[in-house]
């Protein structure tokens, strides 16, 4: 092997051009151990993680971690909203459906308070729709009940007079 084929380590001259200071350094290294990056244990010696002396080039960029999954929407909040809307739309059964919507909305709000998640707005909307449906059909049933009482008792109407129809 000629001097042209042999490449010296970075920062060192070829062996034929060594000086007396390098010979002294070599003797000091023999007493203290090999320098990092040189000798038979060069692969195990600590190396800088950056710069031109890095053994395998620059490090790759760090990979991103897993994408966080957003919390799911509370199912009771969805049920409260659906039942609340049905409480307004469905006639006469809306009062019962509205009560169920109010219960589901209360359970959903309690779960969202303690465990977190999404659906707080849905639960509030279900609560409001449930209240509106319950109150609306309660008033409708109350009016129907009052009308039925008034027309069912003949003493409350026309003070006992008879209405006669002629043909």
């Amino acid at each position: 092997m000629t001097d042209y084929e042999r490449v010296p380590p970075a920062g060192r001259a070829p062996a034929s051009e060594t000086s007396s200071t390098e010979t002294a350094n070599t003797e000091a290294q023999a007493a203290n151990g090999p320098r990092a990056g040189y000798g038979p244990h060069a692969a195990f010696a600590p190396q800088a993680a950056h710069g031109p002396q890095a053994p395998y080039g620059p490090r790759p960029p760090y990979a991103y971690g897993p994408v966080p999954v957003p919390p799911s929407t509370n199912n009771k909040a969805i049920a409260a909203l659906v039942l609340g809307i049905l409480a307004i739309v469905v006639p006469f059964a809306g009062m019962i459906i509205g009560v169920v919507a109010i219960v589901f909305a209360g359970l959903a709000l309690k779960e969202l308070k303690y465990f977190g998640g999404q659906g707080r707005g849905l639960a509030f909307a279900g609560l409001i729709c449930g209240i509106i449906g319950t109150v609306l059909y309660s008033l409708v049933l109350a009016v129907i009940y009052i009308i039925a009482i008034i027309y069912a008792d003949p003493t409350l109407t026309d003070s006992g007079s008879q209405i006669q129809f002629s043909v």
Side-chain angles (χ1 to χ4, degrees):
M1 183 190 241
T2 64
D3 286 338
Y4 295 112
E5 294 173 358
R6 195 167 91 178
V7 179
R12 294 193 56 183
S16 61
E17 299 176 6
T18 57
S19 63
S20 61
T21 57
E22 287 184 2
T23 308
N25 285 340
T26 306
E27 293 171 1
Q29 285 177 3
N32 298 332
R35 263 183 24 196
Y38 298 100
H41 302 288
F44 303 105
Q47 302 244 345
H50 54 1
Q53 69 269 18
Y56 300 110
R59 288 186 179 177
Y62 289 104
Y64 294 106
V67 177
V69 177
S72 63
T73 305
N74 191 320
N75 291 333
K76 288 185 178 105
I78 296 171
L81 179 63
V82 170
L83 291 171
I85 292 171
L86 287 176
I88 295 173
V89 175
V90 176
F92 302 111
M95 186 172 68
I96 297 167
I97 296 172
V99 171
V100 175
I102 292 169
V103 170
F104 270 105
L107 291 173
L109 288 172
K110 190 178 289 186
E111 281 184 10
L112 290 171
K113 180 180 178 184
Y114 289 117
F115 301 117
Q118 294 180 347
R120 188 172 173 87
L122 297 176
F124 273 122
L127 179 69
I128 292 170
C129 289
I131 291 171
I132 290 172
T134 303
V135 169
L136 177 71
Y137 288 112
S138 296
L139 290 175
V140 169
L141 287 176
V143 168
I144 291 173
Y145 183 71
I146 291 171
I147 292 172
I149 289 176
I150 291 175
Y151 286 109
D153 190 10
T155 59
L156 297 177
T157 62
D158 204 22
S159 61
S161 64
Q162 298 280 333
I163 301 175
Q164 297 179 357
F165 294 101
S166 62
V167 183

